């Protein structure tokens, strides 16, 4: 039984499956598109909100160093993702990578995890977007009826119609085509980055050097908690974290890390990239570098404009400008945040549909969902299904308590991908790797360890919820996925099938060769 649970899908086979006409996605994305996708999904409320919260509660002005530390953790994971995405340019991201390196059951687990991560992420961001839009509407004198506004703290019936409408609109855009969604993203990201740059440049002229003293405030011990709300590491070892001081920087890093979540979504678009071997590493690493730079600059500016102890936790950038006598920037920043969150929502939804599509193409979910639209060449069936479900979720559910599940899901994926790089290097040293993670196995081990450390800093309650979702996943796999797996029933496309059906079709990886008759 264990041999079937850990059977791996050859990289060549994964690539051949992408050439089946009914299950092939359209290749239309460039390195620029991927970089814009990355920037579009990473820069969200984190840059507008987390900077103030973390500076005030954990690190003071040294929050800039916390962003650097979190960026380094993400960079370690990004190097692993870049190798996999360029070697296995197939939809599914960490799911596909795990299937090629570790085995079917681990791949199912990570795929099930990603479905939850992206679904909740999309819903949480849609609700956040709705809040910003309603705030702007209130400023203009337009007020949403209570029953159609935010569900957070609502009494009686309520449905967040703006959040649901956003998800449904983005679903339509994704069905029509990935290139269209890339063009929409380019426009929105240009607006969002412009807002961030204006904040940085304008704020630089309002910096008071005295606000940086002390740059690393004196450490303050925090009593250890003993409830499910406490971080798991406290319950396991009785370890109590400290705020401020040098250790406070690392506490802050575990919080601001979540402002970086999203670069891994770029890897889900590998199959729709024209030259994935070259462009995937550029898109993943380029977007991460751009966002880390912007985060550090924003944190330096906001802590220089207003003393960290007086920063607002809900809208630190806007309130810092108000405190310096420039209130009109508040509306400008809210506009940038509202516009920017549309791309975060769309790219998370795109990522989820690609993982779902890849799992159905492998037979682990119903094959009905793996047929692409005859005209648009997009996975329209899972896109419509998931779009409607997430719209309902965003409309009816206050999601604050579920948001941390997005974080633990992402970190779990980072750990699995890092392990997968080491395994695939040992089992398939012959594969052509357009991008190679440096210093293997040191970098993947550091990536897995850093991600695990941040996971342990999440609350025990989050771990319990994550475990429940995983148990449900095991049940679905053993009742359906294992018996319907194409790898188990030997229904995969063969080299001969592809050659006969497409005698002049270029193979995406000429370096893989054809020395594997079982393919």
């Amino acid at each position: 039984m264990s041999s079937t649970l850990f059977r791996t899908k050859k990289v060549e086979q994964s690539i051949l499956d992408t050439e089946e006409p009914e299950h092939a996605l359209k290749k239309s994305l460039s390195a620029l598109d991927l970089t814009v996708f990355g920037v579009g999904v990473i820069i969200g409320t984190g840059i507008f909100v987390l900077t103030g919260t973390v500076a005030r509660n954990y690190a003071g002005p040294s929050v800039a160093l916390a962003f650097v530390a979190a960026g380094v953790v993400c960079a370690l994971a990004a190097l692993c993702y870049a190798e996999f995405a360029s070697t296995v340019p197939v939809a599914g991201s960490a799911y596909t990578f795990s299937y090629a390196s570790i085995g079917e059951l681990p791949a199912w687990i990570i795929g099930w995890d990603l479905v939850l991560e992206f679904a909740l992420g999309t819903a949480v961001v849609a609700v956040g977007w709705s809040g910003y839009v309603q705030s702007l509407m209130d400023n203009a004198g337009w007020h949403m009826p209570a029953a159609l506004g935010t569900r957070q703290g609502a009494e009686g019936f309520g449905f967040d119609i703006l959040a649901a409408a956003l998800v449904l609109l983005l679903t339509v855009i994704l069905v029509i085509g990935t290139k269209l969604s890339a063009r929409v993203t380019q426009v929105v990201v240009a607006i969002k980055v412009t807002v961030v740059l204006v904040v940085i440049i304008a704020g630089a002229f309002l910096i008071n050097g005295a606000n940086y003293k002390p740059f690393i405030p004196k450490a303050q011990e925090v009593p250890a908690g003993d409830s499910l709300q406490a971080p798991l590491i406290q319950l396991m070892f009785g370890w109590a974290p400290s705020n401020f001081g040098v250790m406070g920087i690392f506490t802050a890093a575990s919080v601001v890390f979540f402002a970086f979540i999203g670069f891994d979504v770029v890897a889900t678009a590998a199959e729709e990239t024209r030259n994935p071997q070259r462009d995937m590493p550029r898109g993943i690493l380029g977007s991460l570098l751009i966002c880390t730079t912007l985060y550090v600059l924003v944190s330096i500016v906001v802590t220089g404009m207003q003393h960290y102890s007086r920063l607002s936790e809900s809208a630190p950038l806007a309130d810092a400008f108000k405190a310096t006598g420039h209130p009109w920037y508040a509306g400008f920043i809210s506009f940038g945040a509202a516009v920017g969150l549309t791309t975060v929502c769309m790219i998370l939804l795109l990522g989820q549909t690609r993982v779902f599509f890849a799992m159905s193409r492998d037979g682990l979910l119903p094959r009905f969902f793996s047929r692409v639209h005859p005209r648009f060449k997009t996975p329209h069936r899972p896109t419509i299904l998931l779009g409607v479900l997430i719209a309902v979720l965003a409309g009816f559910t206050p999601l604050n308590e579920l948001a941390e599940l997005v974080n633990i899901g992402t970190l779990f994926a980072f750990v699995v991908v890092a392990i997968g790089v080491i395994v695939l290097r040992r089992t398939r040293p012959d594969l052509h790797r357009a991008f190679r993670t440096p210093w293997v196995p040191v970098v993947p081990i550091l990536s897995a360890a850093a991600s695990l450390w941040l996971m342990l800093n999440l609350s025990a309650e989050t771990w319990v919820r994550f475990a429940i979702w995983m148990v449900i996943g095991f049940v679905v796999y053993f009742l359906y996925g294992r018996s319907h797996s194409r790898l188990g029933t030997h229904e995969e496309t063969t080299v001969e099938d592809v050659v006969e059906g497409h005698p002049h079709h270029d193979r995406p990886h000429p370096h893989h060769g054809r020395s594997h008759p079982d393919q």
Side-chain angles (χ1 to χ4, degrees), residues 141-165:
W142 304 332
H143 304 289
M144 290 286 294
L148 298 178
T150 177
R151 287 289 304 132
Q152 195 65 41
E155 295 182 5
F157 174 82
F159 185 80
D160 194 333
I161 194 168
L162 290 178

Side-chain angles (χ1 to χ4, degrees), residues 441-518:
V442 175
V443 167
I445 290 173
L446 288 175
S447 175
S451 299
L452 186 59
W453 168 256
L454 293 180
M455 288 176 73
L456 290 173
N457 279 278
L458 293 172
S459 70
E461 187 176 29
T462 298
W463 279 85
V464 171
R465 288 174 174 158
F466 183 63
I468 292 171
W469 178 255
M470 288 293 110
V471 169
I472 296 172
F474 275 107
V475 172
V476 174
Y477 174 75
F478 284 106
L479 291 182
Y480 182 90
R482 184 163 172 266
S483 59
H484 289 79
S485 167
R486 293 181 72 207
L487 197 61
T489 55
H490 304 290
E491 291 181 8
E492 304 95 339
T493 309
T494 64
V495 173
E496 289 74 19
D497 291 335
V498 175
V499 173
E500 288 173 10
H502 306 276
H504 303 292
H505 192 77
D506 291 331
R507 299 288 305 286
H509 265 281
H511 300 277
H512 285 316
R514 299 184 182 180
S515 58
H516 301 274
D518 60 332

Side-chain angles (χ1 to χ4, degrees), residues 94-107:
Y95 158 75
T96 301
F97 308 156
S98 303
Y99 212 163
S101 57
I102 305 175
E104 184 171 283
L105 180 59

Side-chain angles (χ1 to χ4, degrees), residues 262-487:
F263 75 85
D264 56 315
V265 182
V266 176
T268 65
E271 192 174 325
E272 294 157 274
T273 305
R274 287 195 293 265
N275 188 345
Q277 292 78 17
R278 181 194 68 189
D279 294 343
M280 287 307 302
R282 292 181 179 183
I284 293 172
L285 296 169
S287 59
L288 184 60
L289 177 62
I290 291 170
C291 294
T292 303
T293 303
L294 291 177
Y295 279 179
V296 170
L297 290 175
V298 165
S299 60
I300 289 173
V301 166
V302 73
T303 53
M305 289 172 61
Q306 190 174 22
H307 195 269
Y308 73 88
S309 62
R310 295 193 296 272
L311 283 172
S312 159
E313 292 192 36
S314 59
L317 288 181
D319 289 350
F321 276 106
K322 286 181 183 178
T324 54
H326 299 80
W328 74 271
Y329 278 102
F332 183 65
I333 291 168
S334 293
F335 169 75
V339 171
L341 289 181
T342 58
T343 57
V344 180
C345 200
M346 180 167 66
I347 299 164
L348 286 173
L349 182 58
L350 179 146
Q352 190 198 30
T353 58
R354 272 37 176 191
V355 173
F356 198 96
F357 169 77
M359 295 173 76
S360 66
R361 189 165 59 187
D362 290 334
L364 300 181
L365 290 172
R367 290 271 287 169
F368 170 82
F369 294 107
S370 67
R371 293 188 182 274
V372 298
H373 193 282
R375 177 183 172 189
F376 301 127
K377 296 299 180 184
T378 57
H380 60 298
R381 290 171 176 174
T383 302
I384 293 170
L385 171 70
L386 296 168
V388 171
L389 290 176
I390 294 170
V392 172
L393 182 67
F396 278 117
T397 315
L399 294 161
N400 278 5
E401 293 183 0
L402 298 180
E404 277 197 1
L405 278 171
V406 179
N407 307 330
I408 195 169
T410 302
L411 289 163
F412 181 58
F414 286 3
V415 172
V416 173
V417 169
I419 294 170
V421 167
I422 299 173
V423 172
L424 200 62
R425 283 283 188 98
R426 291 181 178 274
T427 58
R428 292 300 307 277
D430 58 304
L431 283 177
H432 170 68
R433 293 169 169 83
F435 178 90
R436 297 176 68 88
T437 304
W439 304 310
V440 173
V442 175
V443 167
I445 290 173
L446 288 175
S447 175
S451 299
L452 186 59
W453 168 256
L454 293 180
M455 288 176 73
L456 290 173
N457 279 278
L458 293 172
S459 70
E461 187 176 29
T462 298
W463 279 85
V464 171
R465 288 174 174 158
F466 183 63
I468 292 171
W469 178 255
M470 288 293 110
V471 169
I472 296 172
F474 275 107
V475 172
V476 174
Y477 174 75
F478 284 106
L479 291 182
Y480 182 90
R482 184 163 172 266
S483 59
H484 289 79
S485 167
R486 293 181 72 207
L487 197 61

